Amino acid sequence: MSRITTHVLDTALGRPAGGVKVRLERMSEDGGVADLLGQGATDEDGRLRDLAPPGPALLPGVYRLTFETGGYFRDQELEGFYPRVSIEFEVRDGLEHYHVPLLLSPYGYSTYRGS
């Protein structure tokens, strides 16, 4: 399992959101994208466990998860307001695990740091 993982739950339908495409990037100090670290799609349980490359530690800095929510809503035959959701967060200790869930509905979302 990578040091950065995510879990997407569709709160409107009350179930995991499978098939959501996700991209992980590390940001440069000036706020631009420095590196694309990984990408994939959530499984049928709404989880993506192997997003960051394996290694002993993450570099400290700001990372961004981008969820392609527009495609997910189209696949569910729903009209959504957000075509994508981007979450930026800071890694201070590269040896820790960072779990960043997304709670999603067609007209809103929330996130938190999980474990």
Side-chain angles (χ1 to χ4, degrees), residues 5-58:
T5 57
T6 191
H7 189 192
V8 183
L9 297 169
D10 186 324
T11 59
L13 298 176
R15 63 180 184 222
V20 178
K21 293 180 184 175
V22 183
R23 192 170 60 251
L24 173 65
E25 300 159 314
R26 184 169 184 277
M27 310 303 286
S28 64
E29 289 185 22
D30 67 0
V33 175
D35 294 305
L36 173 64
L37 299 179
Q39 54 191 347
T42 57
D43 63 18
E44 59 187 38
D45 192 35
R47 296 182 183 275
L48 189 50
R49 296 175 176 94
D50 60 353
L51 196 51
L58 294 168

Side-chain angles (χ1 to χ4, degrees), residues 25 33 54 79-80 98 105:
E25 300 159 314
V33 175
E79 182 178 308
Y98 294 84
S105 74

